[in-house]
Amino acid sequence: MSLLGLTPALTGTAPFGSCYQQAAANLASWKGLDHAAETLCTTWGFSWGGGPVLDGSGRWSAAAGAVHRMDLADRTFGSWDAAEDAARASLDAGHPVAAAVDAFHLPSPYEDREHIAHCVLLLAHEGDRVWISDPMNRPEPTAYSAEAWRRMRSAEAAGSYRTLLLTSGPRHPATPLELATAVREDARSHRSADRAAFEGYLAAREAEAAGPAEVLDVSGVAAERLYLGQLFKRLAGEAGSGEEAAAVAEGFTSLSRRWYLLHTLSRESGGSATGRARLLRMLADLGDREARLTEAVDALVSALAAQAR
């Protein structure tokens, strides 16, 4: 048996919603992408399906594949068999897999306590066992029974067997200008739809103010900003416009902290009307802060482009 990838390079605490980026960065690092965590995410936006979850753009995995010219697919499946067939095919070809599971069913702060989505790395199948690595909680390769694997993968929290498949390493060393430009162009291309998603979510949550309110689940938004902060911090160290890039990095890092604060306060709040009103004011304020950061990103990319001429 060959344990593909062995122990991941990127380990430790992954805040709510960011375990998918952490897992994908490990896949990319194994495939030869330098500074994978700092160069993975080049998208910036919102997506909303009508429920309590406001997510980030949902475009980061496809964009990472495009900017680094590597074959990264973010897939869901309609059945256990289809998901397992895809995972086994990837393993047989020599590619580890990032797979969504329910943290309730494996060693984690949520074990036997709360059903919550988490992402782990599938390294091998061996008879009636699988070997996985959980970069956040237990990075060393650990064996689980096939039955335990099916249980954690088939839970509702796992999101239709969400799976990240990376079947090639990067074919292009993206430059700082290319990475920054990718962020700006993604935001520009989707600005209207992203804004509509945010405003729709805000309006729906405001309409709940008089009755039972859903948790404001915005961890996916926070995770995307977390990785954007790492990207621009990296660019600040490489690019000539260090101060401008550092300011943009701090802008995204600050947004990430505020989105995570909103998420945590909503999860832990007692649901009072006064507390709910405060959370909604925070949500509206974050929308304004997001819009203001676009000017700094535009200015930075223009400065980098001028230097490259």
Side-chain angles (χ1 to χ4, degrees):
M1 178 189 62
S2 174
L3 294 179
L4 302 177
L6 299 177
T7 302
L10 305 166
T11 62
T13 300
F16 282 119
S18 69
C19 54
Y20 295 100
Q21 285 95 338
Q22 184 188 58
N26 272 303
L27 295 181
S29 180
W30 284 333
K31 291 295 185 183
L33 180 62
D34 293 333
H35 313 293
E38 292 90 350
T39 61
L40 182 71
C41 187
T42 59
T43 61
W44 173 24
F46 299 101
S47 56
W48 178 50
V53 178
L54 178 67
D55 210 342
S57 70
R59 302 183 294 268
W60 65 268
S61 55
V67 75
H68 297 295
R69 298 179 196 169
M70 58 187 186
D71 299 319
L72 176 62
D74 187 346
R75 299 180 61 188
T76 57
F77 297 90
S79 70
W80 160 258
D81 288 339
E84 276 295 279
D85 286 347
R88 286 176 179 268
S90 183
L91 292 174
D92 290 345
H95 311 302
V97 173
V101 298
D102 185 345
F104 183 90
H105 297 295
L106 80 167
S108 73
Y110 306 98
E111 185 177 16
D112 296 327
R113 298 175 60 187
E114 184 176 356
H115 294 280
I116 191 167
H118 188 47
C119 192
V120 299
L121 300 165
L122 176 62
L123 305 178
H125 270 278
E126 183 189 36
D128 62 352
R129 295 191 301 172
V130 299
W131 291 78
I132 70 173
S133 165
D134 180 352
M136 177 175 167
N137 298 298
R138 184 176 284 184
E140 64 276 9
T142 304
Y144 292 86
S145 70
E147 179 183 354
W149 176 241
R150 181 166 186 160
R151 184 167 57 250
M152 68 178 77
R153 275 288 272 161
S154 299
E156 184 178 353
S160 299
Y161 305 100
R162 185 178 178 186
T163 306
L164 292 163
L165 302 165
L166 180 62
T167 56
S168 78
R171 303 182 183 92
H172 173 70
T175 66
L177 176 58
E178 287 173 332
L179 292 166
T181 300
V183 176
R184 182 178 69 173
E185 294 310 307
D186 173 82
R188 282 182 171 178
S189 298
H190 300 90
R191 191 160 291 167
S192 178
D194 288 340
R195 190 67 193 178
F198 173 81
E199 291 176 351
Y201 183 79
L202 176 61
R205 302 291 76 82
E206 289 175 338
E208 295 172 341
E214 298 269 13
V215 169
L216 301 174
D217 187 339
V218 295
S219 62
V221 178
E224 190 173 63
R225 278 65 177 165
L226 175 69
Y227 273 80
L228 284 164
Q230 293 185 51
L231 169 66
F232 283 97
K233 184 177 180 180
R234 178 81 194 171
L235 297 187
E238 294 183 352
S241 300
E243 290 186 5
E244 293 92 335
V248 170
E250 177 52 35
F252 279 116
T253 300
S254 176
L255 279 173
S256 179
R257 286 196 296 261
R258 291 171 183 272
W259 281 110
Y260 274 126
L261 176 61
L262 176 60
H263 182 84
T264 302
L265 289 175
S266 180
R267 279 174 56 88
E268 303 300 329
S269 70
S272 70
T274 301
R276 183 69 175 181
R278 289 174 180 153
L279 293 177
L280 292 174
R281 286 198 297 272
M282 288 179 64
L283 178 59
D285 176 69
L286 278 164
D288 293 338
R289 290 174 183 271
E290 292 271 342
R292 290 197 294 271
L293 188 56
T294 61
E295 298 178 7
V297 172
D298 287 346
L300 171 63
V301 177
S302 295
L304 291 174
Q307 292 172 15
R309 295 192 187 105

